[in-house]
Amino acid sequence: EERVGARAELKADLETRRENYQQKLDERKAELSQKREDMQTRFDERKGDIKERVSAHMMAFVEKIEVRFIAAIERLESIADRIGSRAEKFEAAGADVTATEEALVEAHADLDAARVLVADLSVKAEAAISANASSSPQAAFATIRVAIGEVKEILGSVHSHLRTAVMNLKANATVEAEVETGNDNTGNTE
């Protein structure tokens, strides 16, 4: 009986230890689970903060680029106006400035297109940032970069048209100078 009692006592003691161990194990698992959830929450908060900062940085970049593009458009318009003024003077003097005027018309059309694209740039940027908010900022920036590239391409086209207009004016200036001096580039004057 003593053995049975000692055995029952040992069995009860062992069962108590198992229950205590299981209880501690469950508590530890719950504690670790809570820590994991807390860490995930902090990580998600930090990730959201970083995305907000990156989005704000991209929008600031786009705004700065818009200011630069607007300044470039205004400079190119001023140059186009000066070229147009010079063309009017040449036309009044009897020179043929149709090629210059055509280049200026194309330049003005491209300037109008550039203004529209610059105005849409921030809208496109906001759409790209919000569309790619859950994914990487690189995708949003790639979209923004494409939109910026379109504006750059059009401004390059404007520049090219203005260069063409100036070259046509210079050609007219050379012809006018030869007519005024009577020089036909052969060294003979009539």
Side-chain angles (χ1 to χ4, degrees):
E1 265 182 44
E2 235 178 78
R3 278 182 112 184
V4 174
R7 190 171 204 164
E9 190 178 307
L10 190 60
K11 196 172 185 180
D13 186 41
L14 185 60
E15 190 62 36
T16 305
R17 283 184 185 175
R18 257 190 214 148
E19 287 174 5
N20 286 341
Y21 177 74
Q22 188 63 38
Q23 185 181 5
K24 285 181 182 179
L25 187 63
D26 290 342
E27 288 174 3
R28 183 71 177 144
K29 282 182 181 179
E31 187 179 306
L32 287 175
S33 176
Q34 183 62 38
K35 282 184 179 180
R36 198 172 292 127
E37 287 176 15
D38 291 345
M39 285 176 42
Q40 185 65 38
T41 304
R42 283 194 308 257
F43 176 75
D44 290 342
E45 288 174 0
R46 272 196 242 140
K47 190 174 180 181
D49 290 344
I50 290 171
K51 283 186 179 184
E52 287 176 16
R53 281 188 299 197
V54 168
S55 297
H57 180 69
M58 281 194 277
M59 284 308 297
F61 172 75
V62 169
E63 289 171 4
K64 186 169 27 169
I65 291 294
E66 280 180 333
V67 168
R68 288 180 182 173
F69 280 152
I70 290 170
I73 289 170
E74 289 172 356
R75 280 192 307 272
L76 290 171
E77 278 184 338
S78 171
I79 292 169
D81 290 343
R82 291 194 330 237
I83 293 170
S85 171
R86 183 65 56 140
E88 289 172 2
K89 290 178 184 177
F90 275 97
E91 189 174 30
D96 180 25
V97 293
T98 53
T100 300
E101 289 174 348
E102 288 173 3
L104 285 174
V105 166
E106 290 176 9
H108 281 292
D110 284 348
L111 281 170
D112 292 339
R115 276 196 188 282
V116 169
L117 286 177
V118 168
D120 290 343
L121 193 60
S122 63
V123 174
K124 286 181 181 179
E126 287 177 10
I129 290 169
S130 65
N132 293 311
S134 60
S135 64
S136 68
Q138 291 86 358
F141 198 70
T143 304
I144 293 169
R145 194 175 297 138
V146 168
I148 289 171
E150 291 172 355
V151 177
K152 281 183 180 179
E153 186 177 325
I154 287 183
L155 290 179
S157 174
V158 170
H159 185 261
S160 173
H161 292 310
L162 292 178
R163 285 183 55 197
T164 302
V166 168
M167 286 191 297
N168 290 333
L169 276 181
K170 283 184 178 182
N172 282 332
T174 306
V175 170
E176 289 295 318
E178 289 175 3
V179 169
E180 286 178 9
T181 61
N183 189 357
D184 61 358
N185 282 337
T186 59
N188 299 330
T189 56
E190 298 176 11

